[in-house]
Amino acid sequence: MKLTRREVAIPHHYEWMTEGSKNRGKLFKRYIAAYVKHNYPGWYLSKITGRKAIIKLKEEAGNESNEDDR
């Protein structure tokens, strides 16, 4: 069975990097999405739960954007 969903720990420095930002939540999510894209090629950010990012495997090149999960 192929793994299609993972939980990864969010590095702590992303919290203090967004402190004081006008749109902190949105910026935090953008940072985590970029972190996932860089460190987990072929995966995308599905959602953030506490200090963990739920990431999912991209199925095919033409189906990379799953806006309903982001």
Side-chain angles (χ1 to χ4, degrees):
M1 181 177 204
K2 189 174 183 180
L3 185 66
T4 59
R5 179 185 178 277
R6 293 177 65 177
E7 286 186 14
V8 295
I10 296 172
H12 71 277
H13 62 271
Y14 287 103
E15 288 183 33
W16 65 259
M17 287 172 54
T18 58
E19 275 183 25
S21 174
K22 185 177 179 182
N23 295 314
R24 185 177 188 189
K26 193 173 195 176
L27 181 61
F28 183 75
K29 190 171 182 178
R30 285 180 53 208
Y31 280 170
I32 302 307
Y35 168 77
V36 169
K37 185 176 181 178
H38 179 76
N39 291 290
Y40 299 91
W43 296 77
Y44 69 94
L45 176 65
S46 176
K47 68 179 182 177
I48 297 171
T49 305
R51 302 239 340 139
K52 299 210 183 240
I54 308 301
I55 62 174
K56 292 185 178 178
L57 187 62
K58 294 178 184 177
E59 294 186 20
E60 294 181 20
N63 192 18
E64 291 180 4
S65 180
N66 293 331
E67 293 297 328
D68 56 333
D69 285 343
R70 290 186 186 177

